PDB file of all heavy atoms in Angstrom:
ATOM      1  N   SER A   1     231.464  72.800 -69.630  1.00  0.00           N
ATOM      2  CA  SER A   1     232.180  71.555 -69.730  1.00  0.00           C
ATOM      3  C   SER A   1     231.959  70.615 -68.516  1.00  0.00           C
ATOM      4  O   SER A   1     232.197  69.447 -68.621  1.00  0.00           O
ATOM      5  CB  SER A   1     233.731  71.824 -69.836  1.00  0.00           C
ATOM      6  OG  SER A   1     234.228  72.545 -68.754  1.00  0.00           O
ATOM      7  N   GLY A   2     231.453  71.215 -67.434  1.00  0.00           N
ATOM      8  CA  GLY A   2     231.176  70.395 -66.262  1.00  0.00           C
ATOM      9  C   GLY A   2     229.947  70.924 -65.624  1.00  0.00           C
ATOM     10  O   GLY A   2     229.365  71.893 -66.077  1.00  0.00           O
ATOM     11  N   THR A   3     229.455  70.244 -64.585  1.00  0.00           N
ATOM     12  CA  THR A   3     228.323  70.708 -63.903  1.00  0.00           C
ATOM     13  C   THR A   3     228.581  70.785 -62.341  1.00  0.00           C
ATOM     14  O   THR A   3     229.381  70.052 -61.831  1.00  0.00           O
ATOM     15  CB  THR A   3     227.120  69.702 -64.048  1.00  0.00           C
ATOM     16  OG1 THR A   3     227.595  68.379 -63.571  1.00  0.00           O
ATOM     17  CG2 THR A   3     226.733  69.575 -65.524  1.00  0.00           C
ATOM     18  N   PRO A   4     227.957  71.788 -61.715  1.00  0.00           N
ATOM     19  CA  PRO A   4     228.128  71.902 -60.268  1.00  0.00           C
ATOM     20  C   PRO A   4     227.434  70.733 -59.595  1.00  0.00           C
ATOM     21  O   PRO A   4     226.535  70.128 -60.173  1.00  0.00           O
ATOM     22  CB  PRO A   4     227.537  73.215 -59.927  1.00  0.00           C
ATOM     23  CG  PRO A   4     226.500  73.443 -61.005  1.00  0.00           C
ATOM     24  CD  PRO A   4     227.070  72.831 -62.249  1.00  0.00           C
ATOM     25  N   PRO A   5     227.764  70.415 -58.360  1.00  0.00           N
ATOM     26  CA  PRO A   5     227.042  69.371 -57.650  1.00  0.00           C
ATOM     27  C   PRO A   5     225.640  69.740 -57.321  1.00  0.00           C
ATOM     28  O   PRO A   5     225.246  70.951 -57.274  1.00  0.00           O
ATOM     29  CB  PRO A   5     227.876  69.179 -56.388  1.00  0.00           C
ATOM     30  CG  PRO A   5     228.548  70.510 -56.163  1.00  0.00           C
ATOM     31  CD  PRO A   5     228.810  71.011 -57.515  1.00  0.00           C
ATOM     32  N   GLU A   6     224.800  68.743 -57.193  1.00  0.00           N
ATOM     33  CA  GLU A   6     223.386  69.007 -56.812  1.00  0.00           C
ATOM     34  C   GLU A   6     223.335  69.705 -55.497  1.00  0.00           C
ATOM     35  O   GLU A   6     224.026  69.444 -54.561  1.00  0.00           O
ATOM     36  CB  GLU A   6     222.625  67.626 -56.705  1.00  0.00           C
ATOM     37  CG  GLU A   6     221.157  67.770 -56.462  1.00  0.00           C
ATOM     38  CD  GLU A   6     220.407  66.435 -56.364  1.00  0.00           C
ATOM     39  OE1 GLU A   6     221.087  65.424 -56.685  1.00  0.00           O
ATOM     40  OE2 GLU A   6     219.276  66.407 -56.052  1.00  0.00           O
ATOM     41  N   GLY A   7     222.506  70.754 -55.471  1.00  0.00           N
ATOM     42  CA  GLY A   7     222.348  71.517 -54.282  1.00  0.00           C
ATOM     43  C   GLY A   7     223.099  72.823 -54.261  1.00  0.00           C
ATOM     44  O   GLY A   7     222.905  73.671 -53.368  1.00  0.00           O
ATOM     45  N   ALA A   8     223.974  72.998 -55.244  1.00  0.00           N
ATOM     46  CA  ALA A   8     224.747  74.248 -55.331  1.00  0.00           C
ATOM     47  C   ALA A   8     224.134  75.171 -56.451  1.00  0.00           C
ATOM     48  O   ALA A   8     223.680  74.672 -57.481  1.00  0.00           O
ATOM     49  CB  ALA A   8     226.220  73.927 -55.707  1.00  0.00           C
ATOM     50  N   ALA A   9     224.131  76.444 -56.178  1.00  0.00           N
ATOM     51  CA  ALA A   9     223.688  77.392 -57.216  1.00  0.00           C
ATOM     52  C   ALA A   9     224.804  77.572 -58.229  1.00  0.00           C
ATOM     53  O   ALA A   9     226.034  77.326 -57.885  1.00  0.00           O
ATOM     54  CB  ALA A   9     223.386  78.730 -56.600  1.00  0.00           C
ATOM     55  N   PHE A  10     224.493  78.003 -59.417  1.00  0.00           N
ATOM     56  CA  PHE A  10     225.451  78.173 -60.469  1.00  0.00           C
ATOM     57  C   PHE A  10     225.307  79.543 -61.130  1.00  0.00           C
ATOM     58  O   PHE A  10     224.130  79.865 -61.514  1.00  0.00           O
ATOM     59  CB  PHE A  10     225.378  77.063 -61.539  1.00  0.00           C
ATOM     60  CG  PHE A  10     226.321  77.232 -62.644  1.00  0.00           C
ATOM     61  CD1 PHE A  10     227.664  77.015 -62.467  1.00  0.00           C
ATOM     62  CD2 PHE A  10     225.883  77.588 -63.879  1.00  0.00           C
ATOM     63  CE1 PHE A  10     228.593  77.189 -63.523  1.00  0.00           C
ATOM     64  CE2 PHE A  10     226.760  77.791 -64.990  1.00  0.00           C
ATOM     65  CZ  PHE A  10     228.116  77.585 -64.749  1.00  0.00           C
ATOM     66  N   VAL A  11     226.384  80.272 -61.295  1.00  0.00           N
ATOM     67  CA  VAL A  11     226.346  81.524 -61.994  1.00  0.00           C
ATOM     68  C   VAL A  11     227.412  81.466 -63.077  1.00  0.00           C
ATOM     69  O   VAL A  11     228.579  81.252 -62.723  1.00  0.00           O
ATOM     70  CB  VAL A  11     226.578  82.753 -61.075  1.00  0.00           C
ATOM     71  CG1 VAL A  11     226.753  84.028 -61.819  1.00  0.00           C
ATOM     72  CG2 VAL A  11     225.482  82.844 -60.017  1.00  0.00           C
ATOM     73  N   ARG A  12     227.071  81.672 -64.332  1.00  0.00           N
ATOM     74  CA  ARG A  12     228.098  81.675 -65.422  1.00  0.00           C
ATOM     75  C   ARG A  12     228.863  82.981 -65.301  1.00  0.00           C
ATOM     76  O   ARG A  12     228.311  84.067 -65.274  1.00  0.00           O
ATOM     77  CB  ARG A  12     227.376  81.534 -66.698  1.00  0.00           C
ATOM     78  CG  ARG A  12     228.394  81.216 -67.860  1.00  0.00           C
ATOM     79  CD  ARG A  12     227.620  81.010 -69.177  1.00  0.00           C
ATOM     80  NE  ARG A  12     226.503  80.087 -69.076  1.00  0.00           N
ATOM     81  CZ  ARG A  12     226.651  78.755 -69.077  1.00  0.00           C
ATOM     82  NH1 ARG A  12     227.925  78.244 -69.154  1.00  0.00           N
ATOM     83  NH2 ARG A  12     225.602  77.919 -68.941  1.00  0.00           N
ATOM     84  N   TRP A  13     230.216  82.811 -65.328  1.00  0.00           N
ATOM     85  CA  TRP A  13     231.063  84.007 -65.249  1.00  0.00           C
ATOM     86  C   TRP A  13     232.393  83.700 -65.945  1.00  0.00           C
ATOM     87  O   TRP A  13     233.141  82.874 -65.610  1.00  0.00           O
ATOM     88  CB  TRP A  13     231.343  84.374 -63.769  1.00  0.00           C
ATOM     89  CG  TRP A  13     232.210  85.535 -63.584  1.00  0.00           C
ATOM     90  CD1 TRP A  13     232.408  86.574 -64.489  1.00  0.00           C
ATOM     91  CD2 TRP A  13     232.997  85.937 -62.403  1.00  0.00           C
ATOM     92  NE1 TRP A  13     233.214  87.519 -63.911  1.00  0.00           N
ATOM     93  CE2 TRP A  13     233.593  87.172 -62.639  1.00  0.00           C
ATOM     94  CE3 TRP A  13     233.185  85.239 -61.192  1.00  0.00           C
ATOM     95  CZ2 TRP A  13     234.467  87.781 -61.721  1.00  0.00           C
ATOM     96  CZ3 TRP A  13     233.986  85.914 -60.276  1.00  0.00           C
ATOM     97  CH2 TRP A  13     234.617  87.150 -60.521  1.00  0.00           C
ATOM     98  N   ASP A  14     232.581  84.492 -67.046  1.00  0.00           N
ATOM     99  CA  ASP A  14     233.965  84.552 -67.659  1.00  0.00           C
ATOM    100  C   ASP A  14     234.757  85.569 -66.858  1.00  0.00           C
ATOM    101  O   ASP A  14     234.431  86.752 -66.828  1.00  0.00           O
ATOM    102  CB  ASP A  14     233.793  84.963 -69.126  1.00  0.00           C
ATOM    103  CG  ASP A  14     235.131  85.056 -69.823  1.00  0.00           C
ATOM    104  OD1 ASP A  14     236.168  85.127 -69.153  1.00  0.00           O
ATOM    105  OD2 ASP A  14     235.137  84.973 -71.059  1.00  0.00           O
ATOM    106  N   ARG A  15     235.808  85.099 -66.186  1.00  0.00           N
ATOM    107  CA  ARG A  15     236.484  85.944 -65.211  1.00  0.00           C
ATOM    108  C   ARG A  15     237.302  87.013 -65.831  1.00  0.00           C
ATOM    109  O   ARG A  15     237.907  87.884 -65.180  1.00  0.00           O
ATOM    110  CB  ARG A  15     237.278  85.119 -64.267  1.00  0.00           C
ATOM    111  CG  ARG A  15     236.396  84.245 -63.344  1.00  0.00           C
ATOM    112  CD  ARG A  15     237.160  83.313 -62.480  1.00  0.00           C
ATOM    113  NE  ARG A  15     237.947  84.040 -61.485  1.00  0.00           N
ATOM    114  CZ  ARG A  15     238.713  83.472 -60.558  1.00  0.00           C
ATOM    115  NH1 ARG A  15     238.807  82.141 -60.515  1.00  0.00           N
ATOM    116  NH2 ARG A  15     239.430  84.190 -59.754  1.00  0.00           N
ATOM    117  N   ALA A  16     237.319  87.087 -67.178  1.00  0.00           N
ATOM    118  CA  ALA A  16     237.932  88.205 -67.872  1.00  0.00           C
ATOM    119  C   ALA A  16     236.929  89.399 -67.947  1.00  0.00           C
ATOM    120  O   ALA A  16     237.349  90.514 -68.278  1.00  0.00           O
ATOM    121  CB  ALA A  16     238.307  87.805 -69.270  1.00  0.00           C
ATOM    122  N   GLU A  17     235.721  89.138 -67.510  1.00  0.00           N
ATOM    123  CA  GLU A  17     234.633  90.165 -67.545  1.00  0.00           C
ATOM    124  C   GLU A  17     234.321  90.578 -66.113  1.00  0.00           C
ATOM    125  O   GLU A  17     234.678  89.921 -65.128  1.00  0.00           O
ATOM    126  CB  GLU A  17     233.401  89.546 -68.214  1.00  0.00           C
ATOM    127  CG  GLU A  17     233.600  89.060 -69.588  1.00  0.00           C
ATOM    128  CD  GLU A  17     233.996  90.179 -70.571  1.00  0.00           C
ATOM    129  OE1 GLU A  17     233.569  91.331 -70.345  1.00  0.00           O
ATOM    130  OE2 GLU A  17     234.764  89.912 -71.542  1.00  0.00           O
ATOM    131  N   PRO A  18     233.657  91.692 -65.913  1.00  0.00           N
ATOM    132  CA  PRO A  18     233.211  92.154 -64.646  1.00  0.00           C
ATOM    133  C   PRO A  18     232.373  91.147 -63.877  1.00  0.00           C
ATOM    134  O   PRO A  18     231.703  90.292 -64.545  1.00  0.00           O
ATOM    135  CB  PRO A  18     232.442  93.417 -64.859  1.00  0.00           C
ATOM    136  CG  PRO A  18     232.979  93.955 -66.251  1.00  0.00           C
ATOM    137  CD  PRO A  18     233.251  92.671 -67.013  1.00  0.00           C
ATOM    138  N   VAL A  19     232.351  91.146 -62.569  1.00  0.00           N
ATOM    139  CA  VAL A  19     231.587  90.251 -61.760  1.00  0.00           C
ATOM    140  C   VAL A  19     230.154  90.418 -62.114  1.00  0.00           C
ATOM    141  O   VAL A  19     229.581  91.483 -62.203  1.00  0.00           O
ATOM    142  CB  VAL A  19     231.841  90.404 -60.287  1.00  0.00           C
ATOM    143  CG1 VAL A  19     231.449  91.876 -59.882  1.00  0.00           C
ATOM    144  CG2 VAL A  19     231.141  89.346 -59.502  1.00  0.00           C
ATOM    145  N   PRO A  20     229.325  89.303 -62.335  1.00  0.00           N
ATOM    146  CA  PRO A  20     227.936  89.386 -62.670  1.00  0.00           C
ATOM    147  C   PRO A  20     227.106  89.907 -61.498  1.00  0.00           C
ATOM    148  O   PRO A  20     227.511  89.720 -60.281  1.00  0.00           O
ATOM    149  CB  PRO A  20     227.552  87.954 -62.944  1.00  0.00           C
ATOM    150  CG  PRO A  20     228.805  87.243 -63.235  1.00  0.00           C
ATOM    151  CD  PRO A  20     229.840  87.910 -62.388  1.00  0.00           C
ATOM    152  N   ASP A  21     226.045  90.626 -61.774  1.00  0.00           N
ATOM    153  CA  ASP A  21     225.221  91.151 -60.716  1.00  0.00           C
ATOM    154  C   ASP A  21     224.656  90.057 -59.813  1.00  0.00           C
ATOM    155  O   ASP A  21     224.452  90.239 -58.600  1.00  0.00           O
ATOM    156  CB  ASP A  21     223.991  91.872 -61.360  1.00  0.00           C
ATOM    157  CG  ASP A  21     224.407  93.178 -61.992  1.00  0.00           C
ATOM    158  OD1 ASP A  21     225.489  93.669 -61.692  1.00  0.00           O
ATOM    159  OD2 ASP A  21     223.599  93.696 -62.812  1.00  0.00           O
ATOM    160  N   GLU A  22     224.455  88.846 -60.319  1.00  0.00           N
ATOM    161  CA  GLU A  22     223.911  87.747 -59.580  1.00  0.00           C
ATOM    162  C   GLU A  22     224.839  87.433 -58.353  1.00  0.00           C
ATOM    163  O   GLU A  22     224.385  87.026 -57.261  1.00  0.00           O
ATOM    164  CB  GLU A  22     223.757  86.440 -60.315  1.00  0.00           C
ATOM    165  CG  GLU A  22     222.778  86.597 -61.480  1.00  0.00           C
ATOM    166  CD  GLU A  22     223.466  86.868 -62.809  1.00  0.00           C
ATOM    167  OE1 GLU A  22     224.292  87.806 -62.850  1.00  0.00           O
ATOM    168  OE2 GLU A  22     223.295  86.031 -63.729  1.00  0.00           O
ATOM    169  N   LEU A  23     226.131  87.666 -58.495  1.00  0.00           N
ATOM    170  CA  LEU A  23     227.057  87.398 -57.449  1.00  0.00           C
ATOM    171  C   LEU A  23     227.138  88.500 -56.403  1.00  0.00           C
ATOM    172  O   LEU A  23     227.264  88.235 -55.248  1.00  0.00           O
ATOM    173  CB  LEU A  23     228.482  87.144 -57.970  1.00  0.00           C
ATOM    174  CG  LEU A  23     228.660  85.810 -58.860  1.00  0.00           C
ATOM    175  CD1 LEU A  23     230.093  85.669 -59.268  1.00  0.00           C
ATOM    176  CD2 LEU A  23     228.218  84.605 -58.050  1.00  0.00           C
ATOM    177  N   THR A  24     227.029  89.715 -56.883  1.00  0.00           N
ATOM    178  CA  THR A  24     227.125  90.856 -55.944  1.00  0.00           C
ATOM    179  C   THR A  24     225.799  90.961 -55.142  1.00  0.00           C
ATOM    180  O   THR A  24     225.814  91.493 -54.027  1.00  0.00           O
ATOM    181  CB  THR A  24     227.361  92.163 -56.690  1.00  0.00           C
ATOM    182  OG1 THR A  24     226.331  92.383 -57.659  1.00  0.00           O
ATOM    183  CG2 THR A  24     228.735  92.123 -57.358  1.00  0.00           C
ATOM    184  N   ARG A  25     224.690  90.486 -55.711  1.00  0.00           N
ATOM    185  CA  ARG A  25     223.433  90.516 -54.978  1.00  0.00           C
ATOM    186  C   ARG A  25     223.248  89.333 -54.081  1.00  0.00           C
ATOM    187  O   ARG A  25     222.404  89.414 -53.131  1.00  0.00           O
ATOM    188  CB  ARG A  25     222.203  90.553 -56.015  1.00  0.00           C
ATOM    189  CG  ARG A  25     222.139  91.824 -56.809  1.00  0.00           C
ATOM    190  CD  ARG A  25     220.759  91.972 -57.395  1.00  0.00           C
ATOM    191  NE  ARG A  25     220.441  90.741 -58.233  1.00  0.00           N
ATOM    192  CZ  ARG A  25     220.626  90.650 -59.500  1.00  0.00           C
ATOM    193  NH1 ARG A  25     221.127  91.624 -60.227  1.00  0.00           N
ATOM    194  NH2 ARG A  25     220.287  89.542 -60.146  1.00  0.00           N
TER     195      ARG A  25
END
């Protein structure tokens, strides 16, 4: 529904689910 600002990385995460590997790495 929105976009992160330019220059920021983005990881899709439904917080009802376990943390994605992209965040732990």
Side-chain angles (χ1 to χ4, degrees):
S1 57
T3 58
E6 184 177 354
F10 177 72
V11 175
R12 193 177 308 282
W13 182 22
D14 181 338
R15 292 177 64 179
E17 302 296 329
V19 61
D21 289 343
E22 299 97 305
L23 294 182
T24 58
R25 291 196 306 265

